[in-house]
Amino acid sequence: MTIEFDAFLAVDIRAGTVIAAEPYPGAHKPAIKLSIDFGPEIGVRKSSAQITVHYRPEELVGRQVMAVVNFKPKQIGRFISEVLVLGVSDGAGAIVLLAPERPVPDGGRMH
């Protein structure tokens, strides 16, 4: 399936820094609740991510991640996820986070 370039541009993917992370025992699958700072234009947004195989909450704080910031919020159990943190499945199906190769300003948009 191919899409028009304008459809790609409609997806707003930004870099942000994790400022808080905690286990989310209320999720159907093991997950971590994240608070991510996307800079002054977007601010802090929350997300739930099924990333417990490769990551512990305490090692995520201070780490930059990439996320879609313009999806509608999604109810996940008793939690509202405001952004979709991006990752790729490893060979066993566990998620590996996508992140900038070098530090970038929070809120920086993917081009």
Side-chain angles (χ1 to χ4, degrees):
M1 172 183 181
T2 59
I3 63 170
E4 297 294 325
F5 188 69
D6 287 344
F8 169 73
L9 291 177
V11 180
D12 192 356
I13 300 172
R14 305 278 183 128
T17 299
V18 176
I19 59 170
E22 62 184 84
Y24 183 29
H28 293 295
K29 294 182 181 180
I32 298 173
K33 291 193 288 187
L34 304 170
S35 293
I36 306 165
D37 184 358
F38 290 99
E41 181 184 342
I42 297 169
V44 175
R45 300 281 178 93
K46 298 184 184 309
S47 187
S48 172
Q50 296 173 353
I51 55 174
T52 58
V53 171
H54 292 300
Y55 306 98
R56 293 188 317 272
E58 59 274 10
E59 67 189 25
L60 291 167
V61 175
R63 180 187 180 106
Q64 285 198 302
V65 296
M66 299 300 295
V68 177
V69 299
N70 65 335
F71 283 157
K72 291 181 182 179
K74 182 175 181 176
Q75 182 93 35
I76 300 175
R78 302 179 78 191
F79 182 78
I80 302 288
S81 187
E82 301 171 305
V83 299
L84 176 65
V85 176
L86 299 176
V88 178
S89 296
D90 67 10
I95 301 300
V96 176
L97 292 170
L98 293 181
E101 178 186 7
R102 294 181 175 89
V104 298
D106 288 333
R109 186 170 183 164
M110 188 185 82
H111 295 282

